PDB file of all heavy atoms in Angstrom:
ATOM      1  N   LEU Y  61      -3.810  11.544  -3.736  1.00 97.00           N
ATOM      2  CA  LEU Y  61      -2.474  11.307  -4.415  1.00 97.00           C
ATOM      3  C   LEU Y  61      -2.371  12.160  -5.670  1.00 97.00           C
ATOM      4  O   LEU Y  61      -1.306  12.739  -5.968  1.00 97.00           O
ATOM      5  CB  LEU Y  61      -2.297   9.805  -4.687  1.00 97.00           C
ATOM      6  CG  LEU Y  61      -1.994   8.956  -3.443  1.00 97.00           C
ATOM      7  CD1 LEU Y  61      -2.365   7.515  -3.669  1.00 97.00           C
ATOM      8  CD2 LEU Y  61      -0.476   9.081  -3.110  1.00 97.00           C
ATOM      9  N   GLY Y  62      -3.477  12.189  -6.451  1.00 96.00           N
ATOM     10  CA  GLY Y  62      -3.447  12.966  -7.696  1.00 96.00           C
ATOM     11  C   GLY Y  62      -3.083  14.392  -7.421  1.00 96.00           C
ATOM     12  O   GLY Y  62      -2.264  15.018  -8.096  1.00 96.00           O
ATOM     13  N   ALA Y  63      -3.724  14.991  -6.375  1.00 96.00           N
ATOM     14  CA  ALA Y  63      -3.484  16.419  -6.026  1.00 96.00           C
ATOM     15  C   ALA Y  63      -2.045  16.626  -5.605  1.00 96.00           C
ATOM     16  O   ALA Y  63      -1.393  17.611  -6.004  1.00 96.00           O
ATOM     17  CB  ALA Y  63      -4.469  16.823  -4.932  1.00 96.00           C
ATOM     18  N   PHE Y  65       0.764  14.866  -6.324  1.00 97.00           N
ATOM     19  CA  PHE Y  65       1.763  14.817  -7.416  1.00 97.00           C
ATOM     20  C   PHE Y  65       1.577  15.873  -8.422  1.00 97.00           C
ATOM     21  O   PHE Y  65       2.515  16.411  -9.060  1.00 97.00           O
ATOM     22  CB  PHE Y  65       1.770  13.423  -8.039  1.00 97.00           C
ATOM     23  CG  PHE Y  65       2.385  12.394  -7.128  1.00 97.00           C
ATOM     24  CD1 PHE Y  65       1.610  11.377  -6.577  1.00 97.00           C
ATOM     25  CD2 PHE Y  65       3.725  12.465  -6.860  1.00 97.00           C
ATOM     26  CE1 PHE Y  65       2.192  10.439  -5.705  1.00 97.00           C
ATOM     27  CE2 PHE Y  65       4.315  11.496  -6.040  1.00 97.00           C
ATOM     28  CZ  PHE Y  65       3.517  10.472  -5.430  1.00 97.00           C
ATOM     29  N   LYS Y  66       0.341  16.317  -8.656  1.00 95.00           N
ATOM     30  CA  LYS Y  66       0.057  17.435  -9.535  1.00 95.00           C
ATOM     31  C   LYS Y  66       0.768  18.699  -9.017  1.00 95.00           C
ATOM     32  O   LYS Y  66       1.408  19.453  -9.798  1.00 95.00           O
ATOM     33  CB  LYS Y  66      -1.471  17.676  -9.650  1.00 95.00           C
ATOM     34  CG  LYS Y  66      -1.855  18.974 -10.401  1.00 95.00           C
ATOM     35  CD  LYS Y  66      -2.325  18.694 -11.787  1.00 95.00           C
ATOM     36  CE  LYS Y  66      -2.354  19.956 -12.576  1.00 95.00           C
ATOM     37  NZ  LYS Y  66      -3.513  20.338 -13.304  1.00 95.00           N
ATOM     38  N   GLY Y  85       8.940  17.230 -14.293  1.00 96.00           N
ATOM     39  CA  GLY Y  85       7.572  17.722 -14.195  1.00 96.00           C
ATOM     40  C   GLY Y  85       6.640  16.696 -14.854  1.00 96.00           C
ATOM     41  O   GLY Y  85       5.567  16.335 -14.258  1.00 96.00           O
ATOM     42  N   SER Y  86       6.968  16.163 -16.007  1.00 95.00           N
ATOM     43  CA  SER Y  86       6.160  15.160 -16.701  1.00 95.00           C
ATOM     44  C   SER Y  86       6.056  13.932 -15.851  1.00 95.00           C
ATOM     45  O   SER Y  86       5.005  13.258 -15.827  1.00 95.00           O
ATOM     46  CB  SER Y  86       6.710  14.872 -18.076  1.00 95.00           C
ATOM     47  OG  SER Y  86       6.998  16.009 -18.811  1.00 95.00           O
ATOM     48  N   PHE Y  87       7.179  13.565 -15.249  1.00 97.00           N
ATOM     49  CA  PHE Y  87       7.257  12.341 -14.438  1.00 97.00           C
ATOM     50  C   PHE Y  87       6.169  12.388 -13.354  1.00 97.00           C
ATOM     51  O   PHE Y  87       5.293  11.519 -13.313  1.00 97.00           O
ATOM     52  CB  PHE Y  87       8.662  12.255 -13.815  1.00 97.00           C
ATOM     53  CG  PHE Y  87       8.826  11.036 -12.921  1.00 97.00           C
ATOM     54  CD1 PHE Y  87       8.879   9.748 -13.460  1.00 97.00           C
ATOM     55  CD2 PHE Y  87       9.035  11.181 -11.572  1.00 97.00           C
ATOM     56  CE1 PHE Y  87       9.109   8.647 -12.662  1.00 97.00           C
ATOM     57  CE2 PHE Y  87       9.291  10.074 -10.727  1.00 97.00           C
ATOM     58  CZ  PHE Y  87       9.304   8.829 -11.288  1.00 97.00           C
ATOM     59  N   TYR Y  88       6.165  13.422 -12.503  1.00 97.00           N
ATOM     60  CA  TYR Y  88       5.200  13.462 -11.415  1.00 97.00           C
ATOM     61  C   TYR Y  88       3.800  13.746 -11.924  1.00 97.00           C
ATOM     62  O   TYR Y  88       2.803  13.245 -11.348  1.00 97.00           O
ATOM     63  CB  TYR Y  88       5.614  14.574 -10.446  1.00 97.00           C
ATOM     64  CG  TYR Y  88       6.880  14.243  -9.633  1.00 97.00           C
ATOM     65  CD1 TYR Y  88       8.085  14.829  -9.935  1.00 97.00           C
ATOM     66  CD2 TYR Y  88       6.831  13.320  -8.596  1.00 97.00           C
ATOM     67  CE1 TYR Y  88       9.232  14.551  -9.193  1.00 97.00           C
ATOM     68  CE2 TYR Y  88       7.991  12.984  -7.859  1.00 97.00           C
ATOM     69  CZ  TYR Y  88       9.151  13.624  -8.159  1.00 97.00           C
ATOM     70  OH  TYR Y  88      10.310  13.312  -7.425  1.00 97.00           O
ATOM     71  N   LEU Y  89       3.708  14.478 -13.054  1.00 94.00           N
ATOM     72  CA  LEU Y  89       2.344  14.801 -13.608  1.00 94.00           C
ATOM     73  C   LEU Y  89       1.639  13.444 -13.938  1.00 94.00           C
ATOM     74  O   LEU Y  89       0.478  13.221 -13.588  1.00 94.00           O
ATOM     75  CB  LEU Y  89       2.480  15.674 -14.809  1.00 94.00           C
ATOM     76  CG  LEU Y  89       1.161  16.312 -15.363  1.00 94.00           C
ATOM     77  CD1 LEU Y  89       0.615  17.266 -14.307  1.00 94.00           C
ATOM     78  CD2 LEU Y  89       1.485  17.109 -16.638  1.00 94.00           C
ATOM     79  N   ALA Y  90       2.390  12.589 -14.668  1.00 96.00           N
ATOM     80  CA  ALA Y  90       1.772  11.336 -15.112  1.00 96.00           C
ATOM     81  C   ALA Y  90       1.426  10.420 -13.884  1.00 96.00           C
ATOM     82  O   ALA Y  90       0.385   9.787 -13.850  1.00 96.00           O
ATOM     83  CB  ALA Y  90       2.737  10.600 -16.041  1.00 96.00           C
ATOM     84  N   ILE Y  91       2.332  10.429 -12.885  1.00 97.00           N
ATOM     85  CA  ILE Y  91       2.048   9.619 -11.653  1.00 97.00           C
ATOM     86  C   ILE Y  91       0.746  10.088 -11.066  1.00 97.00           C
ATOM     87  O   ILE Y  91      -0.149   9.263 -10.724  1.00 97.00           O
ATOM     88  CB  ILE Y  91       3.209   9.770 -10.687  1.00 97.00           C
ATOM     89  CG1 ILE Y  91       4.503   9.145 -11.220  1.00 97.00           C
ATOM     90  CG2 ILE Y  91       2.823   9.075  -9.344  1.00 97.00           C
ATOM     91  CD1 ILE Y  91       5.715   9.339 -10.332  1.00 97.00           C
ATOM     92  N   GLY Y  92       0.592  11.396 -10.918  1.00 96.00           N
ATOM     93  CA  GLY Y  92      -0.623  11.953 -10.328  1.00 96.00           C
ATOM     94  C   GLY Y  92      -1.841  11.619 -11.151  1.00 96.00           C
ATOM     95  O   GLY Y  92      -2.870  11.214 -10.596  1.00 96.00           O
ATOM     96  N   ARG Y  93      -1.708  11.745 -12.458  1.00 95.00           N
ATOM     97  CA  ARG Y  93      -2.863  11.469 -13.354  1.00 95.00           C
ATOM     98  C   ARG Y  93      -3.286  10.001 -13.154  1.00 95.00           C
ATOM     99  O   ARG Y  93      -4.480   9.712 -13.027  1.00 95.00           O
ATOM    100  CB  ARG Y  93      -2.489  11.736 -14.800  1.00 95.00           C
ATOM    101  CG  ARG Y  93      -3.713  12.166 -15.685  1.00 95.00           C
ATOM    102  CD  ARG Y  93      -3.308  12.324 -17.153  1.00 95.00           C
ATOM    103  NE  ARG Y  93      -2.556  13.460 -17.456  1.00 95.00           N
ATOM    104  CZ  ARG Y  93      -1.276  13.451 -17.912  1.00 95.00           C
ATOM    105  NH1 ARG Y  93      -0.652  12.301 -18.105  1.00 95.00           N
ATOM    106  NH2 ARG Y  93      -0.661  14.568 -18.188  1.00 95.00           N
ATOM    107  N   GLU Y  94      -2.279   9.146 -13.055  1.00 96.00           N
ATOM    108  CA  GLU Y  94      -2.557   7.700 -12.885  1.00 96.00           C
ATOM    109  C   GLU Y  94      -3.270   7.384 -11.605  1.00 96.00           C
ATOM    110  O   GLU Y  94      -4.216   6.617 -11.530  1.00 96.00           O
ATOM    111  CB  GLU Y  94      -1.206   6.954 -12.927  1.00 96.00           C
ATOM    112  CG  GLU Y  94      -1.310   5.501 -13.139  1.00 96.00           C
ATOM    113  CD  GLU Y  94      -1.738   5.084 -14.538  1.00 96.00           C
ATOM    114  OE1 GLU Y  94      -1.779   5.951 -15.407  1.00 96.00           O
ATOM    115  OE2 GLU Y  94      -2.035   3.894 -14.768  1.00 96.00           O
ATOM    116  N   LEU Y  95      -2.871   8.057 -10.500  1.00 97.00           N
ATOM    117  CA  LEU Y  95      -3.408   7.709  -9.157  1.00 97.00           C
ATOM    118  C   LEU Y  95      -4.697   8.444  -8.833  1.00 97.00           C
ATOM    119  O   LEU Y  95      -5.451   8.046  -7.963  1.00 97.00           O
ATOM    120  CB  LEU Y  95      -2.334   7.979  -8.095  1.00 97.00           C
ATOM    121  CG  LEU Y  95      -1.034   7.205  -8.239  1.00 97.00           C
ATOM    122  CD1 LEU Y  95      -0.007   7.626  -7.225  1.00 97.00           C
ATOM    123  CD2 LEU Y  95      -1.306   5.696  -8.153  1.00 97.00           C
ATOM    124  N   GLY Y  96      -4.993   9.500  -9.610  1.00 94.00           N
ATOM    125  CA  GLY Y  96      -6.244  10.231  -9.449  1.00 94.00           C
ATOM    126  C   GLY Y  96      -6.628  10.598  -8.039  1.00 94.00           C
ATOM    127  O   GLY Y  96      -5.771  11.006  -7.257  1.00 94.00           O
ATOM    128  N   ASP Y  97      -7.894  10.367  -7.733  1.00 95.00           N
ATOM    129  CA  ASP Y  97      -8.359  10.856  -6.403  1.00 95.00           C
ATOM    130  C   ASP Y  97      -8.213   9.857  -5.242  1.00 95.00           C
ATOM    131  O   ASP Y  97      -8.744  10.083  -4.149  1.00 95.00           O
ATOM    132  CB  ASP Y  97      -9.775  11.383  -6.486  1.00 95.00           C
ATOM    133  CG  ASP Y  97     -10.688  10.324  -7.144  1.00 95.00           C
ATOM    134  OD1 ASP Y  97     -10.284   9.150  -7.119  1.00 95.00           O
ATOM    135  OD2 ASP Y  97     -11.757  10.707  -7.673  1.00 95.00           O
ATOM    136  N   ALA Y 109       1.915   3.360 -11.678  1.00 98.00           N
ATOM    137  CA  ALA Y 109       1.927   4.844 -11.779  1.00 98.00           C
ATOM    138  C   ALA Y 109       3.345   5.299 -12.030  1.00 98.00           C
ATOM    139  O   ALA Y 109       3.602   6.190 -12.906  1.00 98.00           O
ATOM    140  CB  ALA Y 109       1.411   5.440 -10.508  1.00 98.00           C
ATOM    141  N   ALA Y 112       4.081   4.798 -15.573  1.00 98.00           N
ATOM    142  CA  ALA Y 112       3.428   5.858 -16.389  1.00 98.00           C
ATOM    143  C   ALA Y 112       4.298   7.123 -16.370  1.00 98.00           C
ATOM    144  O   ALA Y 112       4.494   7.784 -17.382  1.00 98.00           O
ATOM    145  CB  ALA Y 112       2.030   6.157 -15.851  1.00 98.00           C
ATOM    146  N   SER Y 116       6.184   8.946 -19.601  1.00 96.00           N
ATOM    147  CA  SER Y 116       5.985  10.303 -20.048  1.00 96.00           C
ATOM    148  C   SER Y 116       7.291  11.067 -20.085  1.00 96.00           C
ATOM    149  O   SER Y 116       7.455  11.983 -20.924  1.00 96.00           O
ATOM    150  CB  SER Y 116       4.914  10.976 -19.171  1.00 96.00           C
ATOM    151  OG  SER Y 116       5.432  11.912 -18.340  1.00 96.00           O
TER     152      SER Y 116
END
Side-chain angles (χ1 to χ4, degrees):
Chain Y
L61 286 157
F65 286 112
K66 169 105 196 229
S86 309
F87 180 67
Y88 291 105
L89 192 63
I91 294 175
R93 208 184 287 115
E94 194 71 9
L95 300 175
D97 50 21
S116 109

